[in-house]
Amino acid sequence: MILHSTLLKLVGANNNELFITGWPVVTYYSNQIWNVNSVVLFVPENEIEIFENNRIAIKNDNLLINWEGALYNKDKNEIVFDCN
């Protein structure tokens, strides 16, 4: 199920926020519409900041994310960040 094709906004505790607008977004739900299991983003590495391994920040014209969590893995082509 697609909830909205070009907009996704999530807000959490500790000033956590994710806002995507103007980009294609695919969302679906499984028995509960408000349970987010994962978010996959494809952005250039130079738009990503990780602060002391416990906060990730990404910002460009279509995307704003500032979320607390833990760096799980980082290599040449992928960053896996576990958001609390």
Side-chain angles (χ1 to χ4, degrees):
M1 173 180 183
I2 297 175
L3 299 175
H4 195 283
S5 62
T6 61
L7 176 69
L8 177 63
K9 184 171 185 176
L10 305 173
V11 177
N14 303 321
N15 296 319
N16 294 333
E17 62 180 325
L18 178 139
F19 185 54
I20 302 172
T21 183
W23 264 3
V25 175
V26 176
T27 57
Y28 65 94
Y29 73 96
S30 175
N31 298 325
Q32 185 181 29
I33 197 166
W34 303 113
N35 184 21
V36 178
N37 293 326
S38 65
V39 176
V40 178
L41 306 169
F42 298 93
V43 296
E45 186 178 5
N46 65 345
E47 295 177 357
I48 301 169
E49 290 184 72
I50 299 175
F51 300 98
E52 298 178 15
N53 293 340
N54 66 356
R55 183 164 289 276
I56 191 167
I58 304 170
K59 185 174 182 180
N60 64 32
D61 291 341
N62 303 101
L63 173 65
L64 167 67
I65 183 170
N66 185 350
W67 211 279
E68 186 176 56
L71 180 63
Y72 179 74
N73 184 41
K74 182 177 181 181
D75 62 30
K76 182 179 174 184
N77 296 315
E78 179 181 59
I79 296 173
V80 178
F81 192 86
D82 184 12
C83 295
N84 300 329

